[in-house]
Amino acid sequence: MTFRIREIKRTAAGREIVRDRDLPGDTLSIGRAAENDLHLPDLAVEPRHARITLNDAGRLSVAALGSLGFVVDGVDARAASVDSAVGAELGFGTWRITVSRDADGTVLLTLRQADDAATRSGDLEQKRGLSLTGVLPGKRAMSWLLAIAILIGFLAVPVISNLTRDRAAKGDAVIGDRSWNPGALSLAHHSLTGKCEACHVKPFEPVRDATCLSCHKDLQDHADPKRLAAAHGKLAVGDAALWSIAHAFGKEGPGACRDCHAEHQGQTRMAPPAQQFCADCHSRLKENLPDTALGDASDFGLVHPELTALVTTDPLSQARRAQPVGPGLREDNGLSFAHRLHLDPRGGVARMAASIGAMRGYGSGGLQCKDCHRPTEDGVRFQPVKMERDCEGCHSLAYDRVGGVVRKLHHGDVPQLMADLWAADWHRASPMAGLIDGRRRPGSVGQAMGVSGPFAFRYPAPVRPGLSVGAALSKQGICGECHRPATIKGQPGVVPVRQPARYMMHGWFDHADHKQEKCTSCHAAAKSDTAADVMLPDLKSCRTCHAGEDAAAPKVPSTCAMCHGYHTVEHGSDRRDRAGG
């Protein structure tokens, strides 16, 4: 650190001479002695009068070393703190030192000698003669009088008013209670402004958990005060003493609602809690709550359990089970599908996609993730894959042609599929098929009536000749290309497909916030040969970009509240209050 000293002197002709010099260091001595950094030749200045110390923020600390003080902006002082960005004027005898910052940010001390002394101590007798010190009571008596007046005006009057008012009478408010209001209510409780009794049921008693739960029902996580207190662990001696005092005044806790939810902080949404707020309990959760299924977590980049996904284990019963995310994570979603086959730019699928690209919007290089996976309107997740929209461009459901109309199977409706195929079989076998399906020339005889030749009606060739229910629902049939055949309630069918929109029920992920990344950055689709692969990124993959709250670039600072919500009623729902994390 460096001081820049600018000394201004006047010549006999009245011309000013300005000299600058830089003094390295963070301390300067001021005095009449020549060895001082700032030599002030004045008998009103002591040989070693004061010391100036500069800190990193550009703030100066000035302290007197002898029996005489100095002047700061016209006020006598023995110690002062000056911000060089704001500036000030120091007085030592007839010398003025102006504190400021130069253009390059260096602290600048400008010295100038004036004709009169800077000290004001000689005016004290004159000031005392014009003061009211001799008329008013002493400072101690005035302090007591003001304290009593405050107690009467701001405590006694509201208390008496509250005890004597008619609570049933509308508009009979407490006199003088405005001074007790610590601030405006939050946006969530703004409608309760002026209705103090809605939360403060009893006078001079903290808000109780029962009062909060009378409105906020069906809360799940973090809503059990006893469990929260247990999760927090044993209190330190000092904290335990403070809590004992708080309990004596009727405050609940630790673990009470108001420990986390502070009101009267202004008309804002509740800010997400800091990482340490969560780590106070979750860093030792296994130790304090042995029955919990959650792992210890204090910092996403350092201490955090492996991510957990809720995967389907039985598509028929819709059973799901939570399992750690990793390369070997599998699920039974009822599909027969290979991502590698569909994403291979040199495979047959790519050539087919290129041939029909103009009609379906596929690129020339083969299928891309976006061709089948379409984001929701908010961009948070993806819509379920639909056969008609996303697959039928390559996987045709056509099974018959009647005249110029192509008949298609109803995807997802096995009874209707069976009815259509049975009807088609009967239709082709019926002797009236020609009468029903074809318009004949006058005098012609239908082929079904035993007449052949140029006048015989010929039934149009079907798209899939002789397609039967058994063939369609077999492993090698049209349905077996993507589905597993199964007998359900004694009837032929296929295993139902489960396409979860969300796997991580205790965390939050927004695809829209990651749109700058490629799908394959997190999902290893190009290496997957089976639909059973749950291609979710594990903890290690997420840590390539995300770290704890204090992460430095290029890592993304990630607090607990970035991914986790609180008081979630149903983990499987899409609802999330971002203000709460």
Side-chain angles (χ1 to χ4, degrees):
M1 292 179 283
T2 304
F3 291 93
R4 181 162 295 158
I5 311 302
R6 178 170 294 165
E7 189 172 355
I8 302 177
K9 293 185 177 180
R10 287 183 178 274
T11 63
R15 183 169 59 87
E16 287 187 345
I17 301 176
V18 181
R19 293 188 178 92
D20 285 356
R21 59 191 174 98
D22 290 345
L23 291 178
D26 55 1
T27 303
L28 288 180
S29 59
I30 302 174
R32 190 175 70 247
E35 64 266 23
N36 288 288
D37 298 315
L38 297 183
H39 176 217
L40 306 181
D42 188 339
L43 293 176
V45 179
E46 292 183 289
R48 293 187 59 81
H49 198 113
R51 179 186 294 113
I52 298 179
T53 305
L54 174 65
N55 62 20
D56 294 334
R59 181 171 288 276
L60 283 72
S61 298
V62 187
L65 301 177
S67 58
L68 298 179
F70 52 93
V71 174
V72 181
D73 292 334
V75 179
D76 289 334
R78 288 192 57 80
S81 179
V82 177
D83 188 351
S84 61
V86 178
E89 185 180 76
L90 308 177
F92 297 87
T94 59
W95 288 88
R96 309 289 198 278
I97 301 178
T98 304
V99 181
S100 62
R101 285 190 184 179
D102 213 345
D104 59 357
T106 306
V107 176
L108 177 63
L109 302 180
T110 305
L111 279 68
R112 184 193 302 268
Q113 190 171 23
D115 297 331
D116 57 336
T119 181
R120 300 289 184 265
S121 58
D123 301 332
L124 291 178
E125 294 299 329
Q126 182 179 359
K127 292 178 182 178
R128 288 171 182 162
L130 299 175
S131 69
L132 299 176
T133 305
V135 180
L136 295 176
K139 292 182 179 179
R140 186 178 297 276
M142 287 294 296
S143 299
W144 279 107
L145 288 174
L146 289 174
I148 293 172
I150 291 172
L151 288 174
I152 293 174
F154 297 101
L155 181 60
V157 171
V159 169
I160 295 172
S161 174
N162 179 66
L163 296 176
T164 58
R165 71 188 178 100
D166 185 1
R167 293 178 177 270
K170 187 176 181 179
D172 191 4
V174 177
I175 300 173
D177 67 336
R178 187 181 296 273
S179 60
W180 291 6
N181 191 343
L185 292 173
S186 63
L187 293 176
H189 293 150
H190 186 58
S191 59
L192 298 176
T193 301
K195 303 175 183 178
C196 304
E197 291 86 354
C199 299
H200 302 277
V201 179
K202 293 183 180 180
F204 312 109
E205 182 182 80
V207 177
R208 316 292 291 182
D209 284 349
T211 306
C212 300
L213 296 175
S214 64
C215 293
H216 300 277
K217 303 179 184 296
D218 300 326
L219 297 181
Q220 300 296 323
D221 294 346
H222 306 88
D224 186 344
K226 293 182 179 179
R227 195 162 179 81
L228 278 177
H232 206 283
K234 186 178 180 180
L235 297 174
V237 176
D239 291 337
L242 292 175
W243 273 111
S244 63
I245 298 173
H247 292 159
F249 285 91
K251 182 178 179 180
E252 297 176 307
C257 300
R258 65 193 312 273
D259 289 349
C260 304
H261 303 282
E263 256 299 353
H264 296 286
Q265 303 297 313
Q267 297 183 24
T268 59
R269 296 185 183 275
M270 189 177 71
Q275 177 174 285
Q276 187 58 44
F277 181 88
C278 305
D280 286 342
C281 293
H282 285 267
S283 60
R284 303 181 306 277
L285 201 61
K286 281 289 188 183
E287 175 185 345
N288 297 329
L289 289 178
D291 62 332
T292 184
L294 302 177
D296 292 343
S298 60
D299 185 286
F300 186 76
L302 300 175
V303 180
H304 193 282
E306 182 57 75
L307 306 181
T308 303
L310 194 63
V311 298
T312 302
T313 56
D314 185 358
L316 291 173
S317 64
Q318 303 185 36
R320 303 179 74 185
R321 184 174 60 191
Q323 296 184 15
V325 176
L329 182 59
R330 299 286 188 272
E331 69 174 347
D332 188 358
N333 53 24
L335 271 178
S336 298
F337 184 84
H339 279 89
R340 185 203 296 266
L341 176 68
H342 288 76
L343 293 176
D344 186 356
R346 294 173 295 180
V349 175
R351 291 195 295 271
M352 179 181 290
S355 65
I356 62 175
M359 180 176 61
R360 304 289 297 191
Y362 301 146
S364 58
L367 288 179
Q368 304 295 324
C369 300
K370 64 179 180 60
D371 294 329
C372 301
H373 298 281
R374 304 170 192 272
T376 55
E377 291 186 4
D378 56 8
V380 174
R381 298 193 179 94
F382 284 86
Q383 305 175 35
V385 175
K386 292 186 177 181
M387 172 68 186
E388 295 81 4
R389 181 191 64 195
D390 305 315
C391 309
E392 197 174 0
C394 299
H395 299 272
S396 174
L397 291 177
Y399 71 97
D400 202 355
R401 180 184 295 113
V402 178
V405 178
V406 176
R407 302 173 71 182
K408 299 180 180 180
L409 297 174
H410 290 73
H411 183 264
D413 191 343
V414 174
Q416 182 66 50
L417 174 146
M418 296 168 65
D420 290 342
L421 292 180
W422 282 334
D425 288 342
W426 175 86
H427 197 271
R428 282 188 287 270
S430 172
M432 300 298 292
L435 297 176
I436 297 173
D437 292 310
R439 186 180 64 183
R440 294 193 245 160
R441 303 174 191 171
S444 64
V445 181
Q447 183 183 20
M449 296 183 179
V451 178
S452 60
F455 295 102
F457 175 78
R458 300 195 181 277
Y459 187 81
V463 177
R464 296 176 185 264
L467 181 63
S468 64
V469 173
L473 293 176
S474 68
K475 189 174 182 180
Q476 289 75 30
I478 181 175
C479 301
E481 292 181 2
C482 303
H483 300 277
R484 298 206 314 265
T487 301
I488 302 175
K489 295 182 180 180
Q491 297 293 328
V494 295
V495 176
V497 175
R498 305 299 175 191
Q499 297 186 64
R502 185 177 180 186
Y503 283 93
M504 298 180 183
M505 301 306 175
H506 295 272
W508 180 263
F509 184 85
D510 192 337
H511 282 89
D513 293 340
H514 298 77
K515 60 185 178 182
Q516 75 278 2
E517 293 290 334
K518 295 181 179 179
C519 301
T520 52
S521 298
C522 301
H523 305 286
K527 300 179 180 179
S528 174
D529 291 316
T530 172
D533 291 333
V534 182
M535 296 172 290
L536 294 176
D538 58 6
L539 181 66
K540 182 179 179 181
S541 300
C542 296
R543 280 176 172 170
T544 58
C545 296
H546 294 270
E549 186 177 46
D550 300 325
K555 296 279 188 177
V556 179
S558 306
T559 64
C560 305
M562 177 181 284
C563 301
H564 296 285
Y566 303 89
H567 295 310
T568 50
V569 176
E570 184 180 355
H571 291 306
S573 67
D574 286 346
R575 179 182 175 275
R576 178 182 191 251
D577 183 2
R578 287 183 179 270

